[in-house]
Amino acid sequence: MSLGFSEWLEKQEMKDEAKDLFIESIKCYKTSAYRAALLFSFLGFQTVIKHRLLQSKPPEKYQISEWGQIHKKLQNDDSWEKNVIEAIKDKKKPIFKLSEDIYEQYFYWKNRRNDCAHAKGNTISYPHVESFWLFIESNLSKFVVNGGSELIIQQITDYLNPSITPAGTDIKPIISQIPFAVELIDYKELLEKLLKLTNENKLPYTRTIPTPLASIWAEMFTLPEERTNILIDFLINIPKFTFFLLRANPNTVKHFYNKNEFIRTFWKEDFSISGDYHIFINMIR
């Protein structure tokens, strides 16, 4: 039996702990154990949110010490799920950027989870499981820590500051936070902020982008496919900058292989410095 949720799950980047719970829920669904399927699905969803909280810097209105206490509670195996629910429930100092509709849907599914766990009278069947999977597919990306975009830019700013971050430090841990901190609909806005930061830090009159900045942009291509597509469309609209970017990381041109008009434009570019040879070779490949 092929399930759309299984195909969706294969494309997601999440910890094995969460993915294993979702896989367990699929196994239960296939054997008609629908209460168990819904329960494991909700636990998988909660686990993803827990990991996002643990990987994020303090959101708006939270002090470092206060955020540290929340992290400590989330690491308690006996009460972590209760504390995830409390974190979502708090409207006075919201941690997540949730609309009222998503907020209400979340607590609807929390109550259905309780029906399963405590053998309450409500009937739970396959439509409940499938509906919850659709909720997850539609809304998992929206459970991002409040102020995530600003936090990512601040971390990148600190990364570029040699008095804060040693040269050669890996940028990957910062970039890997983006799917958990920036909603997909806000991703282009993050790219615009990163472009502005890049232009502010780029040396004047250079014909390429300095290595630390180039490594940040190159790492962005390692994010999930839907974000890579947004990044490619964004860069196509700023060809001069993109050409400088390719000079720093020629292999990046492979991501534009199906953008015919853009590639033709680059093919006509003036390959004027020795490093352009590497872009040319990668275009042929």
Side-chain angles (χ1 to χ4, degrees):
M1 182 192 300
S2 177
L3 295 174
F5 184 70
S6 298
E7 296 172 4
W8 174 84
L9 186 63
E10 289 175 0
K11 299 176 183 177
Q12 304 308 303
E13 288 192 358
M14 59 180 69
K15 301 281 188 180
D16 288 342
E17 179 187 3
K19 188 161 283 190
D20 288 346
L21 287 165
F22 284 127
I23 291 172
E24 192 74 20
S25 77
I26 292 168
K27 291 178 181 177
C28 292
Y29 175 89
K30 289 181 176 180
T31 58
S32 301
Y34 300 122
R35 287 180 180 271
L38 185 56
L39 181 57
F40 278 120
S41 292
F42 192 81
L43 285 172
F45 184 67
Q46 293 285 86
T47 301
V48 171
I49 295 174
K50 178 185 74 172
H51 289 149
R52 291 182 178 183
L53 288 166
L54 289 172
Q55 291 176 344
S56 296
K57 298 290 185 181
E60 295 174 359
K61 300 181 182 179
Y62 280 81
Q63 299 296 321
I64 293 177
S65 58
E66 186 180 10
W67 193 240
Q69 285 299 312
I70 291 175
H71 277 194
K72 186 176 180 181
K73 291 177 182 178
L74 292 172
Q75 291 166 341
N76 185 326
D77 285 343
D78 295 325
S79 61
W80 72 267
E81 191 185 5
K82 174 187 173 184
N83 287 301
V84 168
I85 293 170
E86 290 299 317
I88 294 171
K89 186 185 293 186
D90 191 350
K91 286 188 173 183
K92 292 182 179 179
K93 293 174 64 176
I95 292 176
F96 295 100
K97 300 167 62 177
L98 300 177
S99 68
E100 189 63 26
D101 178 55
I102 295 174
Y103 180 88
E104 290 177 359
Q105 287 186 66
Y106 171 82
F107 283 99
Y108 168 83
W109 289 114
K110 191 269 290 185
N111 291 335
R112 300 296 73 75
R113 172 256 188 234
N114 290 346
D115 291 341
C116 299
H118 304 299
K120 293 187 176 182
N122 288 328
T123 299
I124 299 294
S125 190
Y126 69 90
H128 293 89
V129 181
E130 292 177 4
S131 295
F132 183 53
W133 285 347
L134 290 173
F135 170 78
I136 294 172
E137 290 179 41
S138 300
N139 298 301
L140 183 59
S141 65
K142 297 173 184 174
F143 282 77
V144 295
V145 174
N146 197 13
S149 177
E150 289 75 14
L151 290 169
I152 293 294
I153 291 297
Q154 183 57 55
Q155 288 182 65
I156 292 175
T157 302
D158 292 343
Y159 172 84
L160 294 171
N161 187 339
S163 66
I164 297 176
T165 306
T169 300
D170 192 358
I171 188 63
K172 192 174 297 183
I174 296 175
I175 302 303
S176 64
Q177 293 180 47
I178 291 176
F180 313 131
V182 182
E183 191 175 343
L184 195 61
I185 195 172
D186 296 326
Y187 189 51
K188 185 179 178 181
E189 181 183 343
L190 175 69
L191 295 176
E192 290 169 349
K193 291 178 181 177
L194 180 58
L195 177 63
K196 181 180 179 182
L197 183 66
T198 303
N199 289 331
E200 288 172 352
N201 283 271
K202 189 163 68 74
L203 295 175
Y205 311 114
T206 57
R207 303 173 75 186
T208 186
I209 298 174
T211 300
L213 288 162
S215 68
I216 294 169
W217 285 96
E219 192 64 30
M220 302 288 273
F221 283 98
T222 67
L223 295 178
E225 182 180 0
E226 62 269 25
R227 292 181 186 269
T228 299
N229 291 336
I230 293 172
L231 173 61
I232 290 170
D233 290 340
F234 179 80
L235 291 173
I236 282 175
N237 289 315
I238 44 173
K240 189 75 172 180
F241 172 84
T242 304
F243 192 58
F244 287 165
L245 181 63
L246 293 177
R247 279 178 168 168
N249 286 286
N251 191 45
T252 306
V253 77
K254 68 183 179 184
H255 297 288
F256 300 86
Y257 76 96
N258 62 345
K259 302 297 182 179
N260 296 337
E261 183 178 343
F262 184 71
I263 288 296
R264 281 197 298 272
T265 301
F266 264 57
W267 192 255
K268 300 292 185 181
E269 271 287 349
D270 177 21
F271 294 104
S272 55
I273 63 175
S274 59
D276 292 347
Y277 165 79
H278 298 289
I279 301 176
F280 179 80
I281 292 299
N282 276 283
M283 289 174 76
I284 294 175
R285 287 173 179 159

